[in-house]
Amino acid sequence: MSDDKINRLDENQSGRRGRPASVEELDDTLVCDWLHIAADNTVTVFTGKTEVGQNIRTSLAQAVADELRLPLDAIHMVMADTDLVPFDPGTFGSQTTPLMASRLRKVAATAREALVGMAAEHWHVERCELSAADGAITHAPTGRTIRYGELTQGQPLTQRFDDNAPVTPATEWAVAGMSQRKIDGYAMVTGAHQYTPDIARPGMQYGKVLRPPTFGATLKSIDTSAAEAMPGVRVVRDGDFVGVVAPRRARATEALNAIQAEWNTTEQVSMRDLFGYLREHPAPPVEPGQRGGPQSFEQGALEAGLDSADHVLEHTYTHAYIAHAPLEPRAALAEWHDGKLTVWTGTQRPFGVRTELANIFGMPEEQIRVIVPDTGSGYGGKHTGEAAIEAARLARGAGVPVKLIW
């Protein structure tokens, strides 16, 4: 969607976009927080869920298309943009289909019922004489038809979200559950689709971060003079955080390699000794029910089962401590403008990353916008915003938009 169209949507939505700020507030929303019907009958749907290869851009659009009685290509999804979509805790746990698809169905059903009511008022007829199909309301006795966009005139639907809206039974689905072409699939397989590393901004430069040699190392001394002497290179330092910014990625790499740094390091545990070390130095216990705490399900008694067994086999297994690395490299593009920070990054929790940025830079969340382009897989490794924070630090220090790719 173009910036101009998004700006027009912002004006039409009267500043409500992104208003729900917590899970508790999501039920207290209006249809226009989730869905907009333009005068030309195109439907824009807003969700905080992220597309990380699971094809929810298509499946969520199918749910809306079914309830609004529209073809799939009439639905445009705006996803994971904290300035435009309602709050969302994140895309994880395979919860998008059972939770968000259900919500968007009810939103679209609420919108459909509102449109029927608007047509009934427009024609001064009974609701029971009207039906929705093919993006229009039809009055069966007279054969009159009016398109959704003619009813809304592009204005927001301010009806309250109805959790009890009459959704279409699965047996009557005409779009969901049917074979459909993946939305943007052609652009993906031809390389035209843009992911975070592909995004560019006017005046953008490239960043690299100086990494310590070991976990927990602190900077002892540093000489950045050779890097600073390179044309177009800026060195950014914030405590032990050191990075470079340059017009080209290759120059940024050269500048990073020119920095001479000494680090205070501590002895590191080898991979061979890792599990023995962890047994001898266990982490502090976490109470059940707290984040990271043990989750248990009890049925029967383990001791009784072992005592009654004919054979008991005991063995200990260990698995290599490996990086939780997604298929797509972690990347972010950060831009500061008029006191506002905008970051494009691949994350499963755009609102969570916005909170992290607000805490790091000591600014209100309303002055931060996180936009998530479609992302090349997550698997939990993109719950946090380290790349976004680093890009924002570099951009603030250099005074230009900065793209960082790990």
Side-chain angles (χ1 to χ4, degrees):
M1 179 179 287
S2 69
D3 289 342
D4 287 344
K5 190 168 184 179
I6 285 177
N7 290 336
R8 289 197 300 272
L9 277 172
D10 282 341
E11 293 171 2
N12 286 335
Q13 303 304 80
S14 303
R16 288 187 56 86
R17 186 66 51 229
R19 181 191 65 82
S22 67
V23 173
E24 291 74 17
E25 293 183 24
L26 291 179
D27 287 335
D28 185 28
T29 55
L30 308 182
V31 171
C32 61
D33 286 315
W34 302 93
L35 183 149
H36 179 78
I37 301 176
D40 63 3
N41 232 40
T42 57
V43 176
T44 304
V45 179
F46 303 90
T47 174
K49 296 301 181 188
T50 62
E51 174 60 70
V52 287
Q54 76 280 48
N55 202 22
I56 61 171
R57 184 182 296 280
T58 302
S59 63
L60 293 179
Q62 285 178 277
V64 174
D66 256 333
E67 298 302 330
L68 285 180
R69 316 294 191 246
L70 282 166
L72 186 61
D73 58 10
I75 310 296
H76 177 81
M77 301 295 298
V78 172
M79 306 176 70
D81 182 332
T82 59
D83 265 16
L84 299 178
V85 305
F87 173 83
D88 189 273
T91 306
F92 43 72
S94 299
Q95 293 300 298
T96 295
T97 297
L99 297 183
M100 184 54 64
S102 174
R103 177 172 291 273
L104 291 181
R105 273 196 176 275
K106 293 174 182 178
V107 167
T110 304
R112 184 190 68 235
E113 294 304 300
L115 291 165
V116 170
M118 293 166 67
E121 185 176 340
H122 177 72
W123 285 324
H124 303 289
V125 298
E126 296 297 323
R127 289 177 60 99
C128 61
E129 298 176 343
L130 301 174
S131 61
D134 299 323
I137 306 296
T138 298
H139 183 232
T142 62
R144 287 178 294 182
T145 296
I146 186 169
R147 285 158 55 89
Y148 297 160
E150 295 177 73
L151 287 168
T152 68
Q153 293 296 303
Q155 295 303 304
L157 292 170
T158 56
Q159 289 78 6
R160 192 160 299 280
F161 164 71
D162 183 2
D163 195 40
N164 297 310
V167 297
T168 306
T171 54
E172 297 177 18
W173 289 353
V175 184
M178 308 300 170
S179 179
Q180 305 284 350
R181 282 192 175 186
K182 180 185 179 84
I183 295 177
D184 297 330
Y186 184 82
M188 291 175 186
V189 299
T190 58
H193 198 66
Q194 288 198 327
Y195 299 85
T196 301
D198 304 312
I199 304 297
R201 296 293 295 169
M204 182 190 79
Q205 297 195 9
Y206 298 87
K208 292 281 185 178
V209 175
L210 182 67
R211 305 294 182 188
T214 63
F215 181 77
T218 57
L219 200 56
K220 183 178 181 181
S221 66
I222 189 166
D223 180 2
T224 60
S225 57
E228 291 171 335
M230 293 181 177
V233 171
R234 299 170 200 168
V235 176
V236 176
R237 182 172 180 185
D238 182 4
D240 283 349
F241 175 83
V242 180
V244 296
V245 175
R248 295 180 293 108
R249 287 188 71 191
R251 175 52 59 88
T253 300
E254 292 172 13
L256 189 70
N257 293 336
I259 294 176
Q260 301 297 315
E262 289 187 84
W263 299 86
N264 296 310
T265 62
T266 56
E267 185 177 353
Q268 303 293 300
V269 181
S270 69
M271 181 66 75
R272 183 184 60 188
D273 300 328
L274 176 62
F275 289 100
Y277 176 87
L278 293 175
R279 292 188 187 97
E280 295 172 7
H281 303 81
V286 180
E287 294 297 323
Q290 292 184 344
R291 185 173 182 182
Q295 306 294 320
S296 63
F297 172 76
E298 289 190 23
Q299 181 175 335
L302 182 62
E303 294 78 9
L306 290 172
D307 290 341
S308 64
D310 293 331
H311 303 281
V312 176
L313 176 65
E314 292 184 356
H315 198 75
T316 299
Y317 297 88
T318 59
H319 193 281
Y321 191 80
I322 58 176
H324 196 165
L327 300 178
E328 176 193 18
R330 297 287 293 275
L333 192 164
E335 178 177 278
W336 294 83
H337 182 69
D338 290 340
K340 180 169 183 175
L341 169 63
T342 302
V343 178
W344 292 258
T345 191
T347 177
Q348 293 162 254
R349 296 177 58 245
F351 286 90
V353 171
R354 186 179 71 171
T355 299
E356 291 180 49
L357 290 165
N359 292 336
I360 289 290
F361 295 106
M363 53 194 295
E365 293 190 13
E366 293 73 22
Q367 292 177 231
I368 301 172
R369 180 180 187 180
V370 176
I371 303 170
V372 182
D374 285 1
T375 298
S377 84
Y379 307 119
K382 293 182 177 176
H383 282 178
T384 51
E386 296 90 346
I389 292 168
E390 290 179 344
R393 276 177 146 177
L394 293 173
R396 183 178 64 170
V400 296
V402 172
K403 181 191 291 185
L404 175 71
I405 303 175
W406 283 8

